[in-house]
Every structure is written in C-alpha cells, then in structure tokens.
Amino acid sequence: MHVKPSPGLRIVDPLLRDFLPEDGRLVTPSDYWHRRLRDGDVVLIPAAAASEVSATPIPSPVQTEVSAKPAARKSADQ
C-alpha cells in the first residue's frame, strides 16, 4: 500500500526508522499503518498515482546462515 503524510505532518516509518517522504512510500500493510490511516495522519495514494511515485524498496529481514553440523564439544576430561 502506498501512503503519504497528511499536510503539515512528519510521520515515522517504523521499519526504515526515518520520516515518510512527502510524496509517499510503498509500505507493508500493518496495524501501525492502519492506525495512521484511521487517525488521518497519512493518506492512501491511489494505485494509478502510486505508480508515478518512486518506491523506496523495503529491506528484507537479515537471514543468518545456519551450520549443517553442530560444533564439536570438548569433553569434561580436557
């Protein structure tokens, strides 16, 4: 969903930890954004207008590499 801040407001994007640009951004629908919409803090940008707005890519969660075998344990005798 594309949203932009209502005039005169600066709205924090909790995922990117910055302010939502005045021309809007593609955000992942969540309770946070639905509350901002309900409270009138942001405005939903229609799909046609949203295609004209340059979308900031949403970063994917960092994935850690999992080792295939467990680390060797030292015995109590050593």
Side-chain angles (χ1 to χ4, degrees):
M1 71 195 260
H2 270 89
V3 294
K4 67 178 183 178
S6 292
L9 296 180
R10 294 187 70 185
I11 305 299
V12 174
D13 183 331
L15 184 62
L16 298 178
R17 297 182 180 166
D18 66 351
F19 289 109
L20 196 61
E22 288 184 23
D23 59 347
R25 176 183 291 159
L26 177 65
V27 296
T28 303
S30 67
D31 288 342
Y32 175 83
W33 291 113
H34 288 287
R35 281 194 306 270
R36 300 291 73 78
L37 280 167
R38 182 192 65 210
D39 295 345
D41 296 336
V42 297
V43 178
L44 192 60
I45 301 173
S51 63
E52 298 172 7
V53 176
S54 62
T56 303
I58 299 173
S60 61
V62 177
Q63 295 182 357
T64 57
E65 195 172 306
V66 178
S67 176
K69 58 183 179 179
R73 289 186 159 176
K74 293 183 178 183
S75 66
D77 297 336
Q78 292 178 356

